[in-house]
Amino acid sequence: MSIQTVTQPAVQHTQAWVTFTYAAFLGSLLLLALGVFYLPVDTWIKGYLGMGIAMLVQSCMTMSKTMRDNHESKRLVNRIEDAKTERLLMGMNGQD
């Protein structure tokens, strides 16, 4: 008796989408940096805003990675539970 598992194919993004996301990120970061650079304020205020931008980008990347990791771990747990349920059902079908 063999247990067949149904696997979902991994979702692959197109190269166009990946390029677009990188371009959008770099474009927004560049425009924001230019805006801070040309502000009519003292250099220390520009430095403070620059540090804030750097921390915001870092925290956004960290948050998105954490959310992805949580989603993937739940998906793995669900796959394990589904396999256990399928094994149990296959055992019950064999006893009928």
Coordinates of all heavy atoms in Angstrom, one line a residue:
M1 N 0.8 -1.2 0.0 CA 0.0 0.0 0.0 C 0.9 1.2 0.0 O 1.8 1.4 0.8 CB -0.9 0.0 1.3 CG -1.7 1.2 1.4 SD -2.9 1.4 2.7 CE -2.6 0.1 3.8
S2 N 0.7 2.1 -0.9 CA 1.5 3.3 -1.0 C 0.6 4.6 -0.8 O -0.6 4.6 -1.2 CB 2.2 3.5 -2.3 OG 1.3 3.6 -3.4
I3 N 1.1 5.5 -0.1 CA 0.3 6.7 0.1 C 0.8 7.8 -0.9 O 2.0 8.1 -1.1 CB 0.6 7.3 1.5 CG1 0.1 6.3 2.5 CG2 -0.1 8.6 1.7 CD1 0.4 6.7 4.0
Q4 N -0.2 8.2 -1.7 CA 0.1 9.3 -2.7 C -0.2 10.6 -2.0 O -1.3 10.9 -1.5 CB -0.7 9.1 -3.9 CG -0.5 7.8 -4.7 CD -1.4 7.7 -5.8 OE1 -2.4 8.3 -5.9 NE2 -1.0 6.8 -6.7
T5 N 0.8 11.5 -2.1 CA 0.6 12.8 -1.5 C 0.4 13.8 -2.7 O 1.0 13.7 -3.7 CB 1.8 13.3 -0.7 OG1 3.0 13.2 -1.5 CG2 2.0 12.4 0.5
V6 N -0.5 14.7 -2.5 CA -0.7 15.7 -3.4 C 0.1 16.9 -3.1 O 0.0 17.5 -2.0 CB -2.2 16.2 -3.4 CG1 -2.5 17.3 -4.4 CG2 -3.1 15.0 -3.7
T7 N 1.0 17.2 -4.0 CA 1.9 18.4 -3.7 C 1.5 19.5 -4.6 O 1.1 19.3 -5.8 CB 3.4 18.0 -4.0 OG1 3.5 17.6 -5.4 CG2 3.9 16.9 -3.1
Q8 N 1.5 20.7 -4.1 CA 1.2 21.9 -4.8 C 2.5 22.4 -5.4 O 3.5 22.5 -4.7 CB 0.6 22.9 -3.9 CG -0.8 22.5 -3.3 CD -1.3 23.6 -2.4 OE1 -0.6 24.4 -1.9 NE2 -2.6 23.4 -2.0
P9 N 2.4 22.8 -6.7 CA 3.6 23.3 -7.3 C 4.0 24.7 -6.7 O 3.1 25.4 -6.3 CB 3.3 23.5 -8.8 CG 1.8 23.6 -8.8 CD 1.3 22.7 -7.6
A10 N 5.3 24.9 -6.6 CA 5.7 26.2 -6.0 C 5.3 27.3 -6.9 O 5.5 27.2 -8.1 CB 7.2 26.2 -5.7
V11 N 4.9 28.4 -6.4 CA 4.5 29.6 -7.2 C 5.7 30.3 -7.6 O 6.5 30.7 -6.7 CB 3.5 30.5 -6.4 CG1 3.2 31.7 -7.2 CG2 2.3 29.8 -6.0
Q12 N 6.0 30.4 -8.8 CA 7.1 31.1 -9.3 C 6.7 32.4 -9.9 O 5.8 32.5 -10.7 CB 7.8 30.3 -10.4 CG 8.4 29.0 -9.9 CD 9.6 29.2 -9.0 OE1 10.4 30.1 -9.2 NE2 9.7 28.4 -8.0
H13 N 7.4 33.5 -9.5 CA 7.1 34.8 -10.1 C 7.8 34.9 -11.4 O 8.9 34.4 -11.6 CB 7.5 35.9 -9.2 CG 6.8 36.0 -7.9 ND1 5.4 36.2 -7.8 CD2 7.1 35.7 -6.6 CE1 5.0 36.2 -6.6 NE2 6.0 35.9 -5.8
T14 N 7.2 35.7 -12.4 CA 7.8 35.9 -13.6 C 9.0 36.9 -13.5 O 9.0 37.7 -12.5 CB 6.8 36.5 -14.7 OG1 6.4 37.8 -14.2 CG2 5.6 35.6 -14.8
Q15 N 9.9 36.8 -14.4 CA 11.1 37.7 -14.3 C 10.6 39.2 -14.4 O 11.2 40.0 -13.8 CB 12.1 37.3 -15.4 CG 13.4 38.1 -15.3 CD 14.1 37.8 -13.9 OE1 14.1 36.7 -13.4 NE2 14.7 38.9 -13.4
A16 N 9.6 39.4 -15.2 CA 9.1 40.8 -15.3 C 8.6 41.3 -14.0 O 8.9 42.5 -13.6 CB 8.0 40.9 -16.4
W17 N 7.9 40.5 -13.2 CA 7.4 41.0 -11.9 C 8.6 41.2 -10.9 O 8.6 42.2 -10.2 CB 6.4 39.9 -11.3 CG 6.0 40.3 -10.0 CD1 6.4 39.7 -8.8 CD2 5.1 41.3 -9.6 NE1 5.8 40.3 -7.7 CE2 5.0 41.3 -8.2 CE3 4.4 42.3 -10.3 CZ2 4.2 42.2 -7.5 CZ3 3.6 43.2 -9.6 CH2 3.5 43.2 -8.2
V18 N 9.5 40.3 -10.9 CA 10.7 40.5 -10.0 C 11.4 41.8 -10.4 O 11.8 42.6 -9.5 CB 11.6 39.3 -10.1 CG1 12.9 39.5 -9.4 CG2 10.9 38.0 -9.6
T19 N 11.6 42.0 -11.7 CA 12.3 43.2 -12.1 C 11.5 44.5 -11.7 O 12.1 45.5 -11.3 CB 12.5 43.2 -13.7 OG1 13.3 42.0 -14.0 CG2 13.2 44.4 -14.2
F20 N 10.2 44.4 -11.9 CA 9.3 45.5 -11.5 C 9.5 45.8 -10.0 O 9.5 47.0 -9.6 CB 7.9 45.2 -11.9 CG 6.9 46.3 -11.4 CD1 6.8 47.5 -11.9 CD2 6.1 46.0 -10.3 CE1 6.0 48.5 -11.4 CE2 5.3 46.9 -9.7 CZ 5.2 48.2 -10.3
T21 N 9.4 44.8 -9.2 CA 9.5 45.1 -7.8 C 10.8 45.7 -7.4 O 10.9 46.6 -6.5 CB 9.3 43.8 -7.0 OG1 10.2 42.8 -7.3 CG2 7.9 43.2 -7.2
Y22 N 11.9 45.2 -8.0 CA 13.2 45.8 -7.7 C 13.3 47.2 -8.1 O 13.8 48.1 -7.5 CB 14.4 45.0 -8.3 CG 14.7 43.7 -7.6 CD1 14.5 42.5 -8.1 CD2 15.4 43.8 -6.3 CE1 14.8 41.3 -7.4 CE2 15.7 42.7 -5.6 CZ 15.4 41.4 -6.2 OH 15.8 40.3 -5.5
A23 N 12.8 47.5 -9.4 CA 12.8 48.8 -9.9 C 11.9 49.8 -9.1 O 12.3 50.9 -8.8 CB 12.3 48.8 -11.3
A24 N 10.8 49.3 -8.6 CA 9.9 50.2 -7.8 C 10.6 50.5 -6.5 O 10.5 51.6 -6.0 CB 8.6 49.5 -7.6
F25 N 11.2 49.5 -5.9 CA 11.9 49.7 -4.6 C 13.0 50.7 -4.7 O 13.1 51.7 -4.0 CB 12.4 48.4 -4.0 CG 13.3 48.6 -2.8 CD1 12.7 48.9 -1.6 CD2 14.6 48.4 -2.9 CE1 13.5 49.0 -0.5 CE2 15.4 48.6 -1.8 CZ 14.9 48.9 -0.5
L26 N 13.9 50.5 -5.7 CA 15.0 51.4 -5.9 C 14.6 52.8 -6.3 O 15.2 53.8 -5.9 CB 16.0 50.8 -7.0 CG 16.7 49.5 -6.6 CD1 17.5 48.9 -7.7 CD2 17.6 49.8 -5.4
G27 N 13.5 52.9 -7.2 CA 13.0 54.2 -7.6 C 12.5 55.0 -6.4 O 12.8 56.1 -6.2
S28 N 11.7 54.3 -5.6 CA 11.1 55.0 -4.4 C 12.2 55.4 -3.4 O 12.2 56.5 -2.9 CB 10.1 54.2 -3.7 OG 10.6 53.0 -3.2
L29 N 13.2 54.6 -3.2 CA 14.3 54.9 -2.3 C 15.1 56.0 -2.9 O 15.5 57.0 -2.1 CB 15.2 53.6 -2.1 CG 16.2 53.7 -1.0 CD1 15.5 53.9 0.4 CD2 17.0 52.4 -0.9
L30 N 15.4 56.0 -4.2 CA 16.1 57.1 -4.8 C 15.4 58.4 -4.7 O 16.0 59.5 -4.3 CB 16.5 56.8 -6.2 CG 17.2 57.9 -7.0 CD1 18.6 58.0 -6.5 CD2 17.2 57.5 -8.5
L31 N 14.1 58.4 -5.0 CA 13.3 59.7 -5.0 C 13.2 60.2 -3.5 O 13.3 61.4 -3.3 CB 12.0 59.5 -5.6 CG 11.9 59.2 -7.1 CD1 10.5 58.9 -7.5 CD2 12.4 60.5 -7.8
L32 N 13.1 59.3 -2.6 CA 13.0 59.8 -1.2 C 14.4 60.3 -0.7 O 14.4 61.4 -0.1 CB 12.6 58.6 -0.3 CG 12.3 58.9 1.2 CD1 11.2 59.9 1.3 CD2 12.0 57.7 1.9
A33 N 15.4 59.7 -1.1 CA 16.8 60.2 -0.8 C 17.0 61.5 -1.4 O 17.6 62.5 -0.8 CB 17.9 59.2 -1.2
L34 N 16.6 61.7 -2.7 CA 16.8 63.0 -3.3 C 16.0 64.1 -2.6 O 16.4 65.2 -2.5 CB 16.4 62.9 -4.8 CG 17.4 62.3 -5.7 CD1 16.8 62.1 -7.1 CD2 18.7 63.1 -5.8
G35 N 14.8 63.7 -2.2 CA 13.9 64.7 -1.5 C 14.5 65.1 -0.2 O 14.5 66.3 0.1
V36 N 15.1 64.2 0.5 CA 15.8 64.6 1.8 C 17.0 65.4 1.5 O 17.3 66.4 2.2 CB 16.1 63.3 2.6 CG1 17.0 63.6 3.8 CG2 14.9 62.6 3.1
F37 N 17.8 65.0 0.5 CA 19.0 65.8 0.1 C 18.8 67.2 -0.2 O 19.5 68.1 0.2 CB 19.7 65.1 -1.0 CG 21.0 65.7 -1.4 CD1 22.2 65.6 -0.6 CD2 21.1 66.5 -2.6 CE1 23.3 66.2 -1.0 CE2 22.3 67.1 -2.9 CZ 23.4 66.9 -2.2
Y38 N 17.7 67.5 -0.9 CA 17.4 68.8 -1.4 C 16.5 69.6 -0.4 O 16.0 70.7 -0.7 CB 16.8 68.8 -2.8 CG 17.8 68.5 -3.8 CD1 17.8 67.4 -4.5 CD2 18.8 69.5 -4.1 CE1 18.8 67.1 -5.5 CE2 19.8 69.2 -5.1 CZ 19.7 68.0 -5.7 OH 20.7 67.8 -6.7
L39 N 16.2 69.1 0.8 CA 15.4 69.8 1.8 C 16.2 71.0 2.2 O 17.4 70.9 2.4 CB 15.1 68.9 3.0 CG 13.9 68.0 2.9 CD1 13.8 67.2 4.2 CD2 12.6 68.8 2.8
P40 N 15.5 72.2 2.4 CA 16.3 73.3 2.9 C 16.4 73.4 4.4 O 15.9 74.2 5.1 CB 15.4 74.5 2.4 CG 14.0 73.9 2.3 CD 14.2 72.5 2.0
V41 N 17.1 72.3 4.9 CA 17.3 72.2 6.4 C 18.8 71.9 6.6 O 19.6 71.7 5.7 CB 16.4 71.1 7.0 CG1 15.0 71.5 6.9 CG2 16.7 69.8 6.4
D42 N 19.2 72.0 7.9 CA 20.5 71.7 8.3 C 20.9 70.2 8.0 O 20.1 69.4 7.9 CB 20.7 71.9 9.8 CG 20.6 73.4 10.2 OD1 20.9 74.3 9.3 OD2 20.2 73.7 11.3
T43 N 22.2 70.0 7.9 CA 22.8 68.7 7.6 C 22.4 67.7 8.7 O 22.1 66.5 8.3 CB 24.3 68.8 7.5 OG1 24.6 69.7 6.5 CG2 24.8 67.4 7.0
W44 N 22.4 68.0 9.9 CA 22.1 67.0 11.0 C 20.6 66.6 10.9 O 20.3 65.4 11.2 CB 22.4 67.6 12.3 CG 21.5 68.7 12.9 CD1 21.7 70.0 12.7 CD2 20.4 68.5 13.6 NE1 20.7 70.7 13.3 CE2 19.9 69.8 13.9 CE3 19.7 67.4 14.1 CZ2 18.7 70.1 14.6 CZ3 18.5 67.7 14.9 CH2 18.0 69.0 15.1
I45 N 19.7 67.5 10.4 CA 18.3 67.0 10.2 C 18.2 66.1 9.0 O 17.5 65.1 9.1 CB 17.4 68.3 10.0 CG1 17.4 69.1 11.3 CG2 16.0 67.9 9.6 CD1 16.6 70.4 11.1
K46 N 19.0 66.3 8.0 CA 19.0 65.4 6.8 C 19.6 64.1 7.3 O 19.1 63.0 6.8 CB 19.9 66.0 5.7 CG 19.3 67.2 5.0 CD 20.2 67.7 4.0 CE 19.6 69.0 3.4 NZ 20.5 69.5 2.3
G47 N 20.6 64.1 8.1 CA 21.2 62.8 8.6 C 20.1 62.0 9.4 O 20.0 60.8 9.3
Y48 N 19.4 62.8 10.3 CA 18.4 62.1 11.1 C 17.3 61.5 10.2 O 16.9 60.3 10.4 CB 17.7 63.1 12.0 CG 16.7 62.6 12.9 CD1 17.0 61.8 14.0 CD2 15.3 62.8 12.7 CE1 16.1 61.3 14.9 CE2 14.4 62.2 13.5 CZ 14.7 61.5 14.6 OH 13.8 61.0 15.4
L49 N 16.8 62.2 9.2 CA 15.8 61.7 8.2 C 16.4 60.5 7.5 O 15.7 59.5 7.2 CB 15.4 62.8 7.3 CG 14.5 63.9 7.9 CD1 14.2 65.0 6.9 CD2 13.2 63.3 8.5
G50 N 17.7 60.6 7.1 CA 18.3 59.4 6.4 C 18.4 58.2 7.3 O 18.1 57.1 6.8
M51 N 18.7 58.4 8.6 CA 18.7 57.2 9.5 C 17.3 56.6 9.6 O 17.1 55.4 9.7 CB 19.3 57.6 10.8 CG 20.8 57.9 10.8 SD 21.4 58.1 12.5 CE 20.4 59.4 13.2
G52 N 16.3 57.5 9.7 CA 14.9 57.0 9.8 C 14.5 56.2 8.5 O 13.9 55.2 8.6
I53 N 15.0 56.7 7.4 CA 14.7 56.0 6.1 C 15.3 54.6 6.1 O 14.7 53.6 5.8 CB 15.1 56.8 4.9 CG1 14.2 58.0 4.7 CG2 15.1 55.9 3.6 CD1 14.8 59.0 3.7
A54 N 16.6 54.6 6.5 CA 17.3 53.3 6.6 C 16.7 52.3 7.6 O 16.5 51.1 7.3 CB 18.8 53.5 7.0
M55 N 16.3 52.8 8.7 CA 15.6 51.9 9.7 C 14.2 51.4 9.2 O 13.9 50.3 9.5 CB 15.5 52.7 11.0 CG 16.8 53.0 11.7 SD 17.7 51.5 12.2 CE 16.7 50.9 13.5
L56 N 13.5 52.3 8.5 CA 12.2 51.9 8.0 C 12.4 50.8 6.9 O 11.6 49.9 6.9 CB 11.5 53.2 7.4 CG 10.1 52.9 6.8 CD1 9.2 52.4 8.0 CD2 9.6 54.2 6.2
V57 N 13.3 51.0 6.0 CA 13.6 50.0 5.0 C 14.0 48.7 5.7 O 13.5 47.6 5.3 CB 14.6 50.5 4.0 CG1 15.1 49.3 3.1 CG2 14.1 51.6 3.2
Q58 N 14.9 48.7 6.6 CA 15.3 47.5 7.3 C 14.1 46.8 8.0 O 14.0 45.6 7.9 CB 16.4 47.8 8.3 CG 16.8 46.6 9.2 CD 17.7 47.0 10.3 OE1 17.9 48.2 10.6 NE2 18.2 46.0 11.0
S59 N 13.3 47.6 8.7 CA 12.2 47.0 9.4 C 11.1 46.4 8.5 O 10.5 45.4 8.8 CB 11.6 48.0 10.4 OG 11.0 49.1 9.7
C60 N 10.9 47.0 7.3 CA 10.0 46.5 6.3 C 10.5 45.2 5.8 O 9.7 44.2 5.6 CB 9.8 47.5 5.2 SG 8.8 48.9 5.6
M61 N 11.8 45.1 5.5 CA 12.3 43.8 5.0 C 12.2 42.7 6.1 O 11.9 41.6 5.8 CB 13.8 44.0 4.6 CG 13.9 44.8 3.3 SD 15.6 44.9 2.9 CE 15.5 45.8 1.3
T62 N 12.5 43.1 7.3 CA 12.5 42.1 8.4 C 11.0 41.6 8.6 O 10.8 40.4 8.8 CB 13.0 42.7 9.7 OG1 14.3 43.2 9.5 CG2 13.0 41.7 10.9
M63 N 10.1 42.6 8.6 CA 8.7 42.2 8.8 C 8.2 41.3 7.7 O 7.5 40.3 7.9 CB 7.8 43.5 8.9 CG 6.3 43.1 9.1 SD 5.3 44.6 9.2 CE 5.4 45.2 7.5
S64 N 8.5 41.6 6.4 CA 8.0 40.8 5.3 C 8.7 39.4 5.4 O 8.0 38.4 5.1 CB 8.4 41.5 4.0 OG 9.7 41.6 3.8
K65 N 9.9 39.3 5.8 CA 10.5 38.0 5.9 C 9.9 37.2 7.0 O 9.6 36.0 6.9 CB 12.0 38.1 6.2 CG 12.7 36.7 6.3 CD 14.1 36.9 6.7 CE 14.9 35.5 6.8 NZ 14.1 34.5 7.5
T66 N 9.6 37.8 8.1 CA 8.9 37.2 9.3 C 7.5 36.7 8.9 O 7.2 35.5 9.2 CB 8.8 38.1 10.5 OG1 10.2 38.5 10.8 CG2 8.2 37.4 11.6
M67 N 6.8 37.5 8.2 CA 5.4 37.1 7.7 C 5.5 35.9 6.7 O 4.7 35.0 6.8 CB 4.7 38.3 7.1 CG 4.4 39.4 8.0 SD 3.7 40.9 7.3 CE 2.2 40.2 6.6
R68 N 6.5 36.0 5.8 CA 6.7 34.9 4.9 C 7.0 33.6 5.6 O 6.5 32.5 5.3 CB 7.7 35.2 3.8 CG 7.8 34.1 2.8 CD 9.1 34.3 2.0 NE 10.2 33.9 2.8 CZ 11.4 34.4 2.7 NH1 11.7 35.3 1.7 NH2 12.4 34.1 3.5
D69 N 8.0 33.7 6.6 CA 8.4 32.5 7.3 C 7.2 31.9 8.1 O 7.1 30.7 8.2 CB 9.5 32.9 8.3 CG 10.8 33.1 7.5 OD1 10.9 32.8 6.3 OD2 11.8 33.7 8.2
N70 N 6.4 32.8 8.8 CA 5.2 32.3 9.5 C 4.3 31.6 8.6 O 3.7 30.5 8.9 CB 4.5 33.4 10.2 CG 5.3 33.9 11.4 OD1 6.1 33.1 12.0 ND2 5.0 35.1 11.9
H71 N 4.0 32.2 7.4 CA 3.1 31.5 6.4 C 3.7 30.2 6.0 O 2.9 29.2 5.9 CB 2.9 32.5 5.2 CG 2.1 31.9 4.1 ND1 0.8 31.7 4.2 CD2 2.5 31.4 2.9 CE1 0.3 31.1 3.1 NE2 1.3 30.9 2.3
E72 N 4.9 30.1 5.7 CA 5.5 28.8 5.2 C 5.5 27.8 6.3 O 5.3 26.6 6.0 CB 6.9 29.1 4.7 CG 7.0 29.8 3.3 CD 8.4 30.0 2.8 OE1 9.3 29.7 3.5 OE2 8.5 30.6 1.7
S73 N 5.7 28.2 7.6 CA 5.7 27.2 8.6 C 4.3 26.6 8.9 O 4.2 25.5 9.1 CB 6.3 27.8 9.9 OG 5.4 28.7 10.4
K74 N 3.3 27.5 8.7 CA 1.9 27.0 8.9 C 1.6 26.1 7.7 O 0.9 25.1 7.9 CB 1.0 28.2 8.9 CG 1.0 29.0 10.2 CD 0.1 30.2 10.1 CE 0.2 31.0 11.3 NZ -0.6 32.2 11.3
R75 N 2.1 26.4 6.5 CA 1.8 25.5 5.4 C 2.5 24.2 5.6 O 1.9 23.1 5.3 CB 2.4 26.2 4.1 CG 1.9 25.5 2.9 CD 2.3 26.3 1.6 NE 3.7 26.1 1.4 CZ 4.4 26.8 0.5 NH1 3.8 27.6 -0.2 NH2 5.7 26.6 0.4
L76 N 3.7 24.1 6.1 CA 4.4 22.8 6.4 C 3.6 22.0 7.4 O 3.4 20.8 7.3 CB 5.8 23.1 6.9 CG 6.6 21.8 7.2 CD1 6.7 20.9 6.0 CD2 7.9 22.2 7.8
V77 N 3.1 22.7 8.5 CA 2.4 22.0 9.6 C 1.1 21.5 9.0 O 0.7 20.3 9.2 CB 2.1 23.0 10.7 CG1 1.1 22.4 11.7 CG2 3.4 23.3 11.5
N78 N 0.4 22.2 8.1 CA -0.8 21.8 7.5 C -0.5 20.6 6.6 O -1.3 19.6 6.5 CB -1.5 22.9 6.7 CG -2.1 23.9 7.6 OD1 -2.4 23.7 8.8 ND2 -2.3 25.1 7.1
R79 N 0.6 20.6 5.9 CA 0.9 19.4 5.0 C 1.2 18.2 5.8 O 0.8 17.1 5.5 CB 2.1 19.8 4.1 CG 1.8 20.7 3.0 CD 3.0 21.1 2.2 NE 3.5 19.9 1.5 CZ 4.6 19.8 0.9 NH1 5.4 20.9 0.8 NH2 5.0 18.7 0.3
I80 N 1.8 18.3 7.0 CA 2.1 17.2 7.9 C 0.8 16.7 8.4 O 0.5 15.4 8.4 CB 3.1 17.6 9.0 CG1 4.4 17.8 8.4 CG2 3.1 16.5 10.1 CD1 5.4 18.5 9.4
E81 N -0.1 17.6 8.9 CA -1.4 17.1 9.4 C -2.2 16.5 8.3 O -2.9 15.5 8.5 CB -2.2 18.3 10.0 CG -1.6 18.8 11.3 CD -2.2 20.0 11.8 OE1 -3.2 20.5 11.2 OE2 -1.8 20.5 12.9
D82 N -2.2 17.0 7.1 CA -2.9 16.4 5.9 C -2.4 15.0 5.6 O -3.2 14.1 5.4 CB -2.8 17.3 4.7 CG -3.6 18.5 4.8 OD1 -4.5 18.6 5.7 OD2 -3.4 19.5 4.0
A83 N -1.1 14.8 5.7 CA -0.5 13.5 5.4 C -0.9 12.5 6.5 O -1.2 11.3 6.2 CB 1.0 13.6 5.4
K84 N -0.9 12.9 7.8 CA -1.4 12.1 8.9 C -2.8 11.7 8.7 O -3.2 10.5 8.9 CB -1.2 12.7 10.2 CG 0.2 12.8 10.7 CD 0.3 13.6 12.0 CE 1.8 13.7 12.5 NZ 1.8 14.4 13.7
T85 N -3.7 12.6 8.3 CA -5.1 12.4 8.1 C -5.3 11.4 6.9 O -6.1 10.5 7.0 CB -5.9 13.7 7.8 OG1 -5.7 14.6 8.9 CG2 -7.3 13.4 7.6
E86 N -4.5 11.6 5.9 CA -4.6 10.8 4.7 C -4.2 9.3 5.0 O -4.8 8.4 4.6 CB -3.8 11.3 3.6 CG -3.9 10.5 2.3 CD -3.1 11.2 1.1 OE1 -2.7 12.3 1.2 OE2 -2.9 10.4 0.1
R87 N -3.1 9.2 5.8 CA -2.6 7.9 6.2 C -3.7 7.2 7.1 O -4.0 6.0 6.9 CB -1.3 8.0 7.0 CG -0.8 6.6 7.5 CD 0.5 6.8 8.2 NE 1.5 7.2 7.2 CZ 2.7 7.5 7.5 NH1 3.2 7.4 8.7 NH2 3.6 7.9 6.5
L88 N -4.3 7.9 8.0 CA -5.4 7.4 8.8 C -6.6 6.9 8.0 O -7.1 5.8 8.2 CB -5.9 8.4 9.9 CG -7.0 8.0 10.8 CD1 -6.5 6.8 11.7 CD2 -7.4 9.2 11.6
L89 N -7.0 7.7 7.0 CA -8.1 7.4 6.1 C -7.7 6.2 5.3 O -8.6 5.3 5.0 CB -8.5 8.5 5.3 CG -9.2 9.7 6.0 CD1 -9.4 10.9 5.1 CD2 -10.5 9.3 6.6
M90 N -6.5 6.1 4.8 CA -6.1 5.0 4.0 C -6.1 3.7 4.8 O -6.5 2.6 4.3 CB -4.7 5.2 3.4 CG -4.6 6.3 2.4 SD -5.3 5.9 0.8 CE -4.0 4.9 0.2
G91 N -5.7 3.8 6.1 CA -5.8 2.6 7.0 C -7.2 2.2 7.2 O -7.5 1.0 7.3
M92 N -8.1 3.1 7.3 CA -9.5 2.8 7.6 C -10.2 2.2 6.3 O -11.0 1.3 6.4 CB -10.3 4.0 8.0 CG -9.9 4.5 9.4 SD -10.8 6.0 9.8 CE -12.4 5.3 10.3
N93 N -9.7 2.6 5.1 CA -10.3 2.0 3.9 C -9.8 0.6 3.7 O -10.5 -0.2 3.2 CB -9.8 2.9 2.7 CG -10.7 4.1 2.6 OD1 -11.8 4.2 3.1 ND2 -10.1 5.1 1.8
G94 N -8.6 0.3 4.2 CA -8.0 -1.0 4.1 C -8.7 -2.0 5.0 O -8.7 -3.2 4.8
Q95 N -9.4 -1.6 6.1 CA -10.0 -2.4 7.0 C -11.4 -2.8 6.6 O -12.0 -3.7 7.1 CB -10.0 -1.8 8.4 CG -8.7 -1.7 9.0 CD -8.7 -0.9 10.4 OE1 -9.8 -0.5 10.8 NE2 -7.6 -0.9 11.0
D96 N -12.0 -2.0 5.7 CA -13.4 -2.3 5.3 C -13.6 -3.5 4.5 O -13.0 -4.2 3.9 CB -14.0 -1.1 4.4 CG -14.2 0.1 5.3 OD1 -14.2 -0.1 6.6 OD2 -14.3 1.2 4.8

